[in-house]
Amino acid sequence: MRLLIFGASGRTGQVLRSMAEQAGHEVLAPTHAEFPLEQAEQLSELVLGCGAEMVVNCAAISGLEACAADPLQAHLVNAVAPAAMALACRHTGARFVHLSTDYVLCGRKAGLKDESARCRPISWYGESKREGELQVLEALPTAVVARVSWVCGNPAKPSFIESTVARALAGQPLAAVADKTSLPTDAADIARVALALGAGEFSGVVHVTSSGEPLSWWQCASLALQAAAEQGALPAVPPVEQQKLDEVPFFKEPRPRHTAMENSRLTVQLGIPMPPVQETVSRVVRRYLETVSAG
Ligand SMILES: NC(=O)c1ccc[n+]([C@@H]2O[C@H](COP(=O)([O-])OP(=O)(O)OC[C@H]3O[C@@H](n4cnc5c(N)ncnc54)[C@H](OP(=O)(O)O)[C@@H]3O)[C@@H](O)[C@H]2O)c1
């Protein structure tokens, strides 16, 4: 199948590209420089003319502070561009899978949220991604909006999990936020699910994340260190200081506190399995350690 991937240089896009190529798909992966997403007309022409049967959008401005620094650009890249892709797919008949985020959720109440949960983003990033979800589904009702969270598992683009293990290996002090919860998603799972959803008939919003109960970053860090110790990389599990979300100096923008997603639409209704969160963390740590030891 001919597959067009936007954002193929990103944390998720890199993994999707390599999985799709290994599966024998012909992959088209326009770079940021070739096709800046701010230029929606150029994007439409690409989708209309390239003959792709499936389009997956992994591109986004995903930094909260970056979106707040330029909300108009965030809107163009995270909402207008995906809508242009969706509309072009409507003309060509290509399947369209668009990645979104748990940060579209309001996050006030603790607990798992399914796809019917209220969306009330509290940041420019969340706002632009929610607008993208709505515009994509309006332009192409058969599109898939796959919400992911805490993307990890690409050693070339380390996430919080890999960075925690790296700090521990270097003997540095560790601290993690204990009053904010979600669930991690391995980029390899996102890639597998995106290809499956793109090949299927599901349309609408679906939560794509590990199975399990919500974890704080502090709990997630503790699981990662435990896995690193079990896998022989650390002599013992080092202590991790608990931080409060409001005390992290780098976070200028508000983060929703409780956005862990419930994934049974994916796993039960669509029959696409997702690993328990402990397995995700253990697997991501193993992959990172293998990459580090391979130099
Ligand atoms: N990372 C997370 O923890 C997380 C959590 C929840 C949801 N998500 C969502 O998951 C998806 C993938 O996230 P990710 O973390 O894999 O993304 P990422 O690593 O930040 O990569 C973003 C990709 O988008 C491209 N891009 C950014 N601005 C662009 C522009 N103006 N024009 C063209 N391309 C542009 C980047 O290219 P360059 O690198 O060349 O600029 C890169 O390939 C996104 O929809 C994101 O909102 C991510």
Side-chain angles (χ1 to χ4, degrees), residues 7-13 31-32 35-38 57-62 73 77 99-102 125 129 148-151 157:
S9 66
R11 186 179 286 162
T12 313
T31 64
H32 184 160
F35 284 90
L37 265 65
E38 291 82 352
N57 181 27
C58 302
I61 299 181
S62 56
Q73 195 203 11
V77 173
L99 298 188
S100 190
T101 170
D102 56 330
Y125 167 65
K129 293 294 291 184
V148 304
S149 54
W150 288 358
V151 178
K157 304 253 175 188

Side-chain angles (χ1 to χ4, degrees), residues 26 39 204 207 215 248:
E26 181 193 347
Q39 296 176 16
H207 288 176
L215 288 183
V248 181

Side-chain angles (χ1 to χ4, degrees), residues 144-185:
V144 177
V145 171
R147 288 187 191 144
V148 304
S149 54
W150 288 358
V151 178
C152 53
N154 178 351
K157 304 253 175 188
S159 73
F160 165 74
I161 293 178
E162 289 96 347
S163 304
T164 300
V165 173
R167 285 184 70 85
L169 292 175
Q172 293 170 346
L174 301 166
V177 170
D179 59 350
K180 167 178 164 51
T181 61
S182 188
L183 283 165
T185 319

Side-chain angles (χ1 to χ4, degrees), residues 51-283:
E53 294 150 276
M54 189 195 300
V55 178
V56 183
N57 181 27
C58 302
I61 299 181
S62 56
L64 271 73
E65 282 67 30
C67 289
D70 194 342
L72 176 60
Q73 195 203 11
H75 179 73
L76 291 175
V77 173
N78 292 347
V80 177
M85 295 173 201
L87 196 59
C89 287
R90 189 158 137 197
H91 283 279
T92 64
R95 286 283 286 160
F96 183 46
V97 180
H98 170 67
L99 298 188
S100 190
T101 170
D102 56 330
Y103 278 25
V104 299
L105 297 167
C106 161
R108 285 223 181 108
K109 285 195 193 145
L112 292 168
K113 314 286 185 308
D114 69 14
E115 289 83 353
S116 66
R118 178 139 72 133
C119 292
R120 203 170 50 188
I122 61 168
S123 63
W124 287 107
Y125 167 65
E127 190 77 49
S128 65
K129 293 294 291 184
R130 178 60 181 153
E131 190 58 30
E133 292 186 347
L134 294 170
Q135 288 199 24
V136 161
L137 289 172
E138 193 178 323
L140 180 68
T142 58
V144 177
V145 171
R147 288 187 191 144
V148 304
S149 54
W150 288 358
V151 178
C152 53
N154 178 351
K157 304 253 175 188
S159 73
F160 165 74
I161 293 178
E162 289 96 347
S163 304
T164 300
V165 173
R167 285 184 70 85
L169 292 175
Q172 293 170 346
L174 301 166
V177 170
D179 59 350
K180 167 178 164 51
T181 61
S182 188
L183 283 165
T185 319
D186 184 355
D189 285 318
I190 302 175
R192 171 178 58 83
V193 170
L195 292 174
L197 290 171
E201 291 181 354
F202 172 80
S203 59
V205 177
V206 62
H207 288 176
V208 179
T209 192
S210 305
S211 301
E213 290 304 310
L215 288 183
S216 68
W217 268 323
W218 183 82
Q219 288 170 308
C220 194
S222 304
L223 271 185
L225 296 168
Q226 200 180 318
E230 281 167 9
Q231 292 169 30
L234 294 170
V237 178
V240 184
E241 185 197 329
Q242 295 198 357
Q243 283 179 309
K244 286 191 163 49
L245 182 61
D246 297 340
E247 290 169 2
V248 181
F250 172 74
F251 293 166
K252 307 287 183 225
E253 277 294 284
R255 264 86 178 149
R257 273 181 199 270
H258 299 293
T259 56
M261 299 184 292
E262 198 266 345
N263 66 8
S264 65
R265 179 172 288 176
L266 180 72
T267 56
V268 178
Q269 195 180 317
L270 298 173
I272 300 177
M274 288 297 284
V277 62
Q278 293 80 1
E279 191 182 315
T280 298
V281 174
S282 173
R283 201 209 277 169

